Amino acid sequence: MRGWWREVSGLVLPVACGGCGRARTELCEACGAQVHSGAPRRVRPSPEPPGLPVVHAAAGYEGAARAVLLAHKERGVLAMARPLGRALAGAVRAGAGRDPDGRPLLLVPVPSARRAVAARGHDPARRIALAAAAQLRRAGVPATVAAVLRPRRAVADQSGLTATERRANLAGALEVAAGGGRLLTTGRVVLVDDLLTTGATLAEAARALDAARGLVEPGVRDAAVVAASPSAFDAACPVGREINRNCK
């Protein structure tokens, strides 16, 4: 019900930019440029958790990108899923590109905790993944969302935890739903999320996917996020500077 009301209210109430609050626009040109107009870059948190796939991010988690992500996730501004999905699609293409065998890209969103979904009325990563898949298909890249990951147990609030504590908190916390393993063999898997901080969540998600697939093929190699902590960007690809041609 809450998600339905947010959808309707977005049609009848005055809109404001999700990034800066400017009236009469969902996302102004300046904020949109910060979210999805840059070149997606490789990100590596330090320390890098074991099992983390190659991750590309569309933007640093600051300024308009941070404001738009928070508007979508915490304030239920669901219209922001479109520009965030566009940004995520760019990060997916920067990493996975398209499968050389012509198989579809399977975007696997990292699920939110059940209590968070109940409180927010929606699952932000899944909604953004759906928007990203639609954007990829419009660009001629076969893509679909495979929401096969499920929380296996409750975890503590991650805020305030160190990287080591986050890895311990999330160890074994995710699993693939029954029947999901077969689906994962039908395309090239790309893990997706809205935000990367320490990388512990994506590493745990990759572990769960690899366990379900039985490592019949190479483990999860690619992941994409809308934004990452600025410190996680490669030194050769710093935020806010000219992009080095070797950045991937």
Side-chain angles (χ1 to χ4, degrees):
M1 180 64 73
R2 182 179 300 171
W4 172 85
W5 166 246
R6 283 173 173 167
E7 296 277 12
V8 173
S9 64
L11 298 175
V12 299
L13 297 178
V15 297
C17 173
C20 65
R22 181 180 301 176
R24 305 180 68 82
T25 179
E26 289 182 348
L27 187 65
C28 73
E29 184 176 350
C31 291
Q34 292 186 50
V35 174
H36 53 58
S37 293
R41 285 149 286 176
R42 173 80 182 272
V43 287
R44 288 187 176 98
S46 180
E48 184 172 340
L52 183 70
V54 174
V55 187
H56 283 76
Y61 187 57
E62 56 190 352
R66 180 178 185 275
V68 171
L69 278 168
L70 288 175
H72 178 258
K73 178 182 285 187
E74 305 298 348
R75 302 205 308 275
V77 185
L78 302 184
M80 292 300 98
R82 289 190 295 272
L84 292 173
R86 177 180 169 188
L88 181 61
V92 169
R93 296 190 71 174
R98 66 172 70 223
D99 188 82
D101 298 324
R103 299 179 304 168
L105 298 181
L106 301 180
L107 306 190
V108 180
V110 174
S112 298
R114 293 185 181 93
R115 62 178 180 275
V117 174
R120 294 168 180 153
H122 73 122
D123 188 328
R126 182 172 183 173
R127 185 177 289 272
I128 296 171
L130 289 167
Q135 178 75 23
L136 288 165
R137 290 193 297 271
R138 285 193 291 270
V141 179
T144 190
V145 173
V148 298
L149 284 172
R150 298 285 186 273
R152 183 168 174 260
R153 61 170 177 79
V155 298
D157 187 344
Q158 297 269 80
S159 60
L161 298 183
T162 66
T164 300
E165 290 169 340
R166 288 189 179 209
R167 290 198 299 271
N169 184 43
L170 291 168
L174 296 176
E175 65 181 357
V176 171
R182 291 191 299 274
L183 176 60
L184 295 173
T185 65
T186 63
R188 181 171 180 174
V189 172
V190 183
L191 269 169
V192 296
D193 205 354
D194 54 357
L195 176 65
L196 176 143
T197 50
T198 67
T201 303
L202 284 175
E204 166 58 18
R207 181 211 59 78
L209 292 180
D210 287 345
R213 296 193 303 178
L215 296 179
V216 173
E217 58 183 87
V220 176
R221 294 169 291 174
D222 300 294
V225 296
V226 174
S229 300
S231 62
F233 284 79
D234 275 1
C237 307
V239 178
R241 300 182 186 176
E242 184 179 355
I243 303 302
N244 185 303
R245 69 177 185 174
N246 294 319
C247 296
K248 295 181 179 181

